Amino acid sequence: MGKPSGPRTPAVADLKTGHDLTSVLPMTAEIRDGRLWIGGVDTVELAREAGTALYVMDEHTIRTRLAEYVKWTRYHWKDVDVVYAGKAFLSLAMIKIVAEEDCCLLCASGGELAYAVRAGFPMDRVQMHGNNKTPAELGECLDARIGRVVVDNFEEMERLSAMAAERGVTQKVLVRVTPGVEADTHDFIMTGAEDSKFGFGLNQGLAMEAVKRAIELPGIEFDGLHMHIGSQIFALHSFAKAIEVIVEFMCRIERETGVAVRMLDVGGGLGVAYGAPDEPSTVKDFGKVVVDGIKEECEKHGIAVPRMAVEPGRSIVANAGVTLYTVGSVKEIPGIRTYVAVDGGMSDNIRTSLYDAHYEALIANKADKPRDMVASVAGKHCESGDIVVNDAPLQSPEPGDVLCVCATGAYCQSMASNYNKQVRPGVVFVRDGEWRWSVRRETYDDLMHTDVG
Ligand code: LLP
């Protein structure tokens, strides 16, 4: 494991499309001696030392992305919170990085909140959301004295109010609104539309009723509004449209209740490159459209510009991560397809079977060779749909090769399962030529840890 060398050599040539893999790999990826290095670490050597399957996270990319969000949102307005959405990838080491980069943390469950508590994350910088927080989870939020709870329905609001009043505390809340905007993304991850299990719809008057309830109820303090229109969004105009709608709503709230909306949280959703040719919008453009957009709309309506929050998850970690596997066998079905079988699969990356997600792959120990054939990367599970990469360019694979699937830093480890009693891979962080475990690989004992029978 040497120190990072000078300029990186990014090109993993793809003879079919002419694209290299720079857009999907971590920022520190480079080719040295024919091998893929990340964070100054030789991934082939890493696979040998740490074993496969293995998630590798590049700390430099994560920190840079968080810092970019802070920079390009606060460039336009002084009061913007960058709230990292922990559901994309969460570990204690990750939470410490989020804290060090001056960001906040979005939790989606009591479990994620427990991680934040264990990591010693500042609780006033924690937000909790979810469409059905249990009474126990609401209690955990109150006990931990977290910054804000995003309330999603009337029952929850009443419950939280009663529980807070009983404890003699006041909990700041944001009211989650579904602005009725169709985000330009996969149907399954479109959450801002009217027909959604999340939040209060604007068009039927529910959102206004919810705000009025939040203002009246004891134990909770109405702090502002929250929305999240979807995920993996490429077209920024979806955000612009939603902002128009929600700022108009802010204006109506002030008119009808006399209460100012102090905070506007526009959620996450910025898309990332999974395919080499993908060109998602930049964080800089996102900052301009969202933060400047809110400012402009507020000025148009003559209301004060609120404190703002953005909640990126995927765009912080997706391209920071790769998964390393060892090739077990190569099955060529003449005239049909070549399957490359690896020592993982849908248990460590469910996104291909679930969303038909597209990934790029390369052979880490042949990284300087052209990807001159097409193959599908199959997992080891008892299911034909257990495919990690569908028909993608690859260097000629052989058993024993280290196969790297790119852009797996978001929603892979966090959605991993123990299907077929497969142990889940560990997570290592790489930085400046060193690697360290963040989450160790599971053992068979871990599998049976909770089995009391
Ligand atoms: N805020 C809220 C309220 C959310 O529900 C989400 C994601 C985010 C922020 C972060 O969105 P991001 O920046 O990561 O797009 N499992 C799916 C993604 C589900 C996203 C759910 N909510 C996938 O693998 O594509």
Side-chain angles (χ1 to χ4, degrees):
M1 283 183 292
K3 294 281 168 201
S5 59
R8 62 186 288 213
T9 318
V12 176
D14 173 352
L15 292 191
K16 287 258 173 326
T17 63
H19 289 286
D20 71 47
L21 295 176
T22 311
S23 61
V24 294
L25 280 167
M27 300 167 102
T28 60
E30 57 184 328
I31 299 169
R32 282 196 231 167
D33 305 327
R35 293 171 164 201
L36 174 68
W37 290 56
I38 297 174
V41 173
D42 176 350
T43 59
V44 180
E45 190 59 24
L46 174 60
R48 202 184 54 77
E49 282 180 45
T52 55
L54 184 71
Y55 298 110
V56 181
M57 301 294 287
D58 178 38
E59 192 170 331
H60 176 75
T61 304
I62 296 172
R63 288 188 186 274
T64 305
R65 300 292 282 169
L66 288 167
E68 272 175 9
Y69 264 100
V70 170
K71 176 175 172 184
W72 292 117
T73 53
R74 294 192 193 153
Y75 180 81
H76 299 282
W77 184 239
K78 54 188 182 344
D79 290 327
V80 187
D81 289 343
V82 175
V83 188
Y84 170 67
K87 66 186 77 178
F89 168 74
L90 204 66
S91 72
L92 296 174
M94 180 69 201
I95 295 176
K96 285 181 190 132
I97 292 173
V98 173
E100 283 165 17
E101 294 299 327
D102 195 23
C103 292
C104 305
L105 184 67
L106 178 68
C107 295
S109 71
E112 290 185 3
L113 177 58
Y115 263 75
V117 171
R118 175 73 60 86
F121 194 85
M123 282 298 130
D124 56 334
R125 286 202 252 152
V126 171
Q127 282 188 186
M128 174 75 136
H129 84 108
N131 73 305
N132 189 21
K133 302 170 204 75
T134 63
E137 286 173 325
L138 293 174
E140 285 154 21
C141 292
L142 294 171
D143 290 345
R145 311 300 306 267
I146 71 167
R148 293 184 184 84
V149 173
V150 181
V151 289
D152 215 276
N153 56 69
F154 288 109
E155 291 86 345
E156 174 183 279
M157 202 191 299
E158 306 275 345
R159 207 172 281 140
L160 182 65
S161 156
M163 290 171 71
E166 199 184 295
R167 283 167 161 83
V169 296
T170 302
Q171 175 64 59
K172 279 190 186 158
V173 299
L174 300 179
V175 170
R176 178 157 179 175
V177 172
T178 42
V181 171
E182 310 253 333
D184 194 358
T185 181
H186 194 296
D187 271 358
F188 296 171
I189 43 185
M190 188 180 72
T191 45
E194 283 287 295
D195 180 6
S196 167
K197 71 169 183 169
F198 296 103
F200 298 94
L202 259 187
N203 296 342
Q204 310 90 343
L206 287 176
M208 183 59 90
E209 204 184 318
V211 169
K212 288 181 178 166
R213 281 304 279 149
I215 293 170
E216 279 164 14
L217 281 171
I220 61 174
E221 180 185 333
F222 172 69
D223 203 30
L225 301 177
H226 176 283
M227 67 177 188
H228 172 74
I229 59 170
S231 202
Q232 184 57 359
I233 299 169
F234 270 47
L236 293 178
H237 62 75
S238 311
F239 290 104
K241 180 71 203 152
I243 284 165
E244 240 176 68
V245 171
I246 204 154
V247 174
E248 203 270 332
F249 180 53
M250 282 170 58
C251 190
R252 274 205 290 134
I253 292 173
E254 296 206 17
R255 237 188 2 246
E256 284 189 31
T257 68
V259 174
V261 174
R262 291 194 301 253
M263 172 101 185
L264 176 56
D265 182 334
V266 297
L270 184 61
V272 304
Y274 283 109
D278 292 352
E279 285 179 18
S281 302
T282 61
V283 173
K284 184 178 175 188
D285 288 345
F286 173 85
K288 177 152 177 52
V289 169
V290 167
V291 180
D292 235 17
I294 294 172
K295 262 169 56 186
E296 271 173 28
E297 288 300 311
C298 288
E299 277 156 23
K300 200 167 94 191
H301 289 281
I303 57 173
V305 180
R307 183 176 188 89
M308 301 176 200
V310 294
E311 299 177 339
R314 188 192 314 269
S315 50
I316 303 296
V317 284
N319 298 118
V322 301
T323 311
L324 301 179
Y325 302 97
T326 302
V327 175
S329 60
V330 180
K331 173 176 175 175
E332 197 184 328
I333 311 175
I336 300 185
R337 174 172 287 115
T338 299
Y339 287 102
V340 185
V342 295
D343 51 355
M346 65 195 299
S347 54
D348 60 70
N349 186 349
I350 189 70
R351 298 194 67 261
T352 308
S353 7
L354 194 56
Y355 311 120
D356 202 15
H358 170 68
Y359 287 95
E360 302 279 359
L362 73 152
I363 305 282
N365 49 298
K366 298 172 181 165
D368 59 342
K369 304 277 186 303
R371 301 191 303 163
D372 54 3
M373 52 103 60
V374 168
S376 285
V377 179
K380 67 192 291 292
H381 293 280
C382 305
E383 201 151 313
S384 319
D386 175 25
I387 299 290
V388 181
V389 185
N390 269 309
D391 292 336
L394 197 67
Q395 294 91 347
S396 196
E398 291 159 287
D401 280 345
V402 177
L403 188 142
C404 168
V405 177
C406 309
T408 58
Y411 302 111
C412 288
Q413 194 260 1
S414 62
M415 293 174 79
S417 77
N418 290 118
Y419 183 39
N420 293 148
K421 297 291 183 233
Q422 172 80 6
V423 294
R424 281 174 296 183
V427 182
V428 301
F429 275 59
V430 290
R431 180 186 179 174
D432 296 339
E434 305 285 343
W435 68 269
R436 68 181 201 278
W437 288 106
S438 168
V439 182
R440 67 158 169 79
R441 179 187 318 288
E442 284 177 339
T443 63
Y444 292 154
D445 280 343
D446 290 327
L447 290 179
M448 284 171 261
H449 194 62
T450 50
D451 191 321
V452 294

